[in-house]
Amino acid sequence: MTLWKLILLYTVHYMCHYENKVFSLLALLWKLFFVTDVVMEVTDDKQLPKEERKRLQIEHAPHISRRAKLVKLADKLYNLRDLKQITPIGWSETRVQEYFEWAAMVVSGLRGTNKTMEDALDVIFAERGISK
């Protein structure tokens, strides 16, 4: 399990136990397993080549659970907002534009999940000349 998955599991544990006062071990385990399922659903297989992982994200997006779609939408929104502010070292403007276009294709398979995030993403896409 990667470090970020462990951090996510710990965060859920903290939120459930300390903030929501969930003291039942069974309830806590249920929440941890739920989060693990969603994490597994949205995690790419890093053994595959990058282009294949990107293709599979587009292909799988319409078929994942609603909760996984929410996580994907939030992830894309965060990543694109970040990319608008800071271009990674070594990325050309062409590569940045291609990332936005790919992200729009992924988001098209997630539509109908959360209007607020989808509207925010649409504004970002429109700024880059990408239509729905």
Side-chain angles (χ1 to χ4, degrees), residues 19-34:
E19 294 185 15
N20 295 327
K21 306 300 182 213
V22 175
F23 295 106
S24 162
L25 180 59
L26 184 59
L28 187 56
L29 288 173
W30 178 258
K31 290 186 184 292
L32 289 174
F33 283 122
F34 160 75

Side-chain angles (χ1 to χ4, degrees), residues 26-83:
L26 184 59
L28 187 56
L29 288 173
W30 178 258
K31 290 186 184 292
L32 289 174
F33 283 122
F34 160 75
V35 169
T36 302
D37 286 345
V38 172
V39 168
M40 295 306 294
E41 202 173 351
V42 299
T43 301
D44 292 341
D45 180 352
K46 296 295 185 185
Q47 294 178 4
L48 297 173
K50 181 176 78 169
E51 291 306 314
E52 178 67 4
R53 292 193 314 263
K54 291 175 84 169
R55 184 190 70 75
L56 288 172
Q57 276 200 43
I58 295 166
E59 183 180 308
H60 291 159
H63 310 292
I64 59 178
S65 70
R66 183 177 190 286
R67 290 179 178 126
K69 287 180 180 183
L70 289 169
V71 170
K72 273 255 192 239
L73 282 169
D75 183 56
K76 293 295 178 247
L77 182 57
Y78 176 85
N79 290 345
L80 294 176
R81 283 179 173 166
D82 192 44
L83 190 54

Side-chain angles (χ1 to χ4, degrees), residues 1-14 35:
M1 187 175 289
T2 62
L3 179 61
W4 73 269
K5 289 178 188 174
L6 290 172
I7 292 169
L8 180 61
L9 289 174
Y10 175 78
T11 302
V12 170
H13 162 76
Y14 178 86
V35 169

